Amino acid sequence: MKPFSSKYPLIQTIFSKVQCYGVVFVLIPGIFVFQLAVVFPNLVTILDASIPKQITHMCLASFCFINIVGNMVLSMLIDSSVKRPNKEGTYCDYCRMMRPAKSWHCRRCNVCILKRDHHCTFIARCIGLYNQRYFILFLGHVMVSMTYATYYNYYYVSAKFEDHSWIVSAFRIVNPLLRFIIPEPMGIKDMYVVYLFMNVGLIIWSGSLFFYHFRNVVMGVTAYEAKYPELMNSVNWKENLISVFGTKWYLAMVWPLADSPLPDYVKGE
């Protein structure tokens, strides 16, 4: 039996795009706006924060936002497909040309991808040689940013509802059957608790993916090669990191637009 995506490629493509653009233009900006428009002003009032602390928080929040959006957009826009036939490598029956080593054909993108890692439905793009850096850093910055946001959201919820009534909301969200025992109507604190849970969920999601893919980079393997432990090699971990994040990896870690070129041997030049 063929998978759903093979039977209905148009529906799969539309779903991927909606999911992708929903995250880029709704979820991430929504979290950023909520933090700065709701959480931040209330914490300033509750904690009587000084101007230097407010400026520091604004700078850190902006840094997280720029790196998340920047790395995600670049991972979507930068193309890692094979542009021209290669003299050596393997032959692709779909593209009808020779492709470099570690290049694989993606049936969703309908093209061969240089050093193909996997097809990410989340951003509707294959992750390969030129955009793997941005994809992994996107996950890493989401994990750090959500940890930072969760800390302040927890502080905000616990300070706003000092009677600890939000804990009851948390239990009712985890187990909806408790609503029959605790007939309190849903209120604003339920929304805040749901938002807090969403932060924790994003930490687990992004953290799991980040550590998995970063481990593969350190080991010098793609997601497909990670199935075979004998292909992993952590001895050359520095070269493995440079082969993904570039020669100026220390700049790439903190700024998505940093010029960090890949070594010539990685590009096959």
Side-chain angles (χ1 to χ4, degrees), residues 33-49 54 57-58 156:
V33 170
F34 183 83
Q35 291 293 125
L36 295 185
V38 179
V39 177
F40 178 64
N42 279 275
L43 279 179
V44 170
T45 303
I46 294 171
L47 302 178
D48 193 20
Q54 295 183 44
H57 176 76
M58 291 288 290
Y156 168 67

Side-chain angles (χ1 to χ4, degrees), residues 48-69:
D48 193 20
S50 62
I51 298 299
K53 287 184 178 180
Q54 295 183 44
I55 294 175
T56 300
H57 176 76
M58 291 288 290
C59 291
L60 289 174
S62 299
F63 171 81
C64 293
F65 181 74
I66 290 171
N67 275 279
I68 289 175
V69 175

Side-chain angles (χ1 to χ4, degrees), residues 22-33 65 68-69 72 138 142:
V23 170
V24 176
F25 298 112
V26 178
L27 181 60
I28 293 176
I31 291 175
F32 184 74
V33 170
F65 181 74
I68 289 175
V69 175
M72 181 171 183
F138 159 71
V142 169

Side-chain angles (χ1 to χ4, degrees), residues 186-199:
M186 292 187 66
I188 189 67
K189 64 174 173 287
D190 292 272
M191 184 189 73
Y192 290 144
V193 173
V194 168
Y195 186 78
L196 182 62
F197 277 20
M198 185 172 67
N199 284 166

Side-chain angles (χ1 to χ4, degrees), residues 4 47 113 118 142 156 177 207 210 218 233 247 255 263 267 269:
F4 181 83
L47 302 178
I113 305 296
H118 70 287
V142 169
Y156 168 67
L177 293 176
F210 173 74
V218 172
N233 178 20
T247 54
W255 186 246
K267 298 183 290 184
E269 297 179 358

Side-chain angles (χ1 to χ4, degrees), residues 17-257:
K17 296 296 182 183
V18 170
Q19 176 180 261
C20 174
Y21 297 144
V23 170
V24 176
F25 298 112
V26 178
L27 181 60
I28 293 176
I31 291 175
F32 184 74
V33 170
F34 183 83
Q35 291 293 125
L36 295 185
V38 179
V39 177
F40 178 64
N42 279 275
L43 279 179
V44 170
T45 303
I46 294 171
L47 302 178
D48 193 20
S50 62
I51 298 299
K53 287 184 178 180
Q54 295 183 44
I55 294 175
T56 300
H57 176 76
M58 291 288 290
C59 291
L60 289 174
S62 299
F63 171 81
C64 293
F65 181 74
I66 290 171
N67 275 279
I68 289 175
V69 175
N71 281 298
M72 181 171 183
V73 171
L74 288 172
S75 66
M76 293 164 53
L77 296 180
I78 294 181
D79 187 14
S80 293
S81 61
V82 178
K83 301 297 183 183
R84 58 182 182 273
N86 200 55
K87 294 181 180 179
E88 298 179 354
T90 58
Y91 183 77
C92 177
D93 293 327
Y94 298 96
C95 298
R96 296 182 180 179
M97 66 176 183
M98 297 293 290
R99 59 195 176 191
K102 289 194 174 185
S103 299
W104 298 94
H105 186 86
C106 176
R107 295 188 179 182
R108 293 187 183 179
C109 298
N110 196 30
V111 68
C112 285
I113 305 296
L114 292 166
K115 195 186 172 184
R116 183 176 184 270
D117 189 82
H118 70 287
H119 181 93
C120 181
T121 305
F122 182 71
I123 63 173
R125 165 74 78 176
C126 260
I127 304 303
L129 180 65
Y130 295 114
N131 63 347
Q132 188 177 16
R133 154 195 164 182
Y134 304 102
F135 174 74
I136 295 177
L137 290 177
F138 159 71
L139 294 174
H141 282 290
V142 169
M143 177 186 66
V144 173
S145 300
M146 288 299 102
T147 303
Y148 177 64
T150 301
Y151 170 77
Y152 280 99
N153 285 333
Y154 171 76
Y155 210 112
Y156 168 67
V157 171
S158 59
K160 187 174 180 63
F161 305 103
E162 294 180 352
D163 58 353
H164 302 295
S165 59
W166 66 273
I167 297 178
V168 177
S169 297
F171 278 109
R172 290 193 306 170
I173 291 170
V174 173
N175 185 1
L177 293 176
L178 290 178
R179 295 190 180 276
F180 296 100
I181 303 175
I182 310 173
E184 180 185 348
M186 292 187 66
I188 189 67
K189 64 174 173 287
D190 292 272
M191 184 189 73
Y192 290 144
V193 173
V194 168
Y195 186 78
L196 182 62
F197 277 20
M198 185 172 67
N199 284 166
V200 175
L202 285 172
I203 292 174
I204 297 173
W205 172 80
S206 59
S208 301
L209 289 176
F210 173 74
F211 284 113
Y212 170 74
H213 288 289
F214 190 79
R215 169 180 170 272
N216 289 345
V217 171
V218 172
M219 293 295 179
V221 295
T222 62
Y224 175 78
E225 294 170 336
K227 302 175 183 178
Y228 307 97
E230 62 273 13
L231 297 178
M232 296 184 179
N233 178 20
S234 60
V235 176
N236 300 323
W237 63 271
K238 290 184 179 180
E239 290 79 2
N240 295 337
L241 288 175
I242 292 175
S243 69
V244 172
F245 299 107
T247 54
K248 296 182 180 179
W249 54 269
Y250 45 88
L251 294 178
M253 297 285 185
V254 297
W255 186 246
L257 298 178

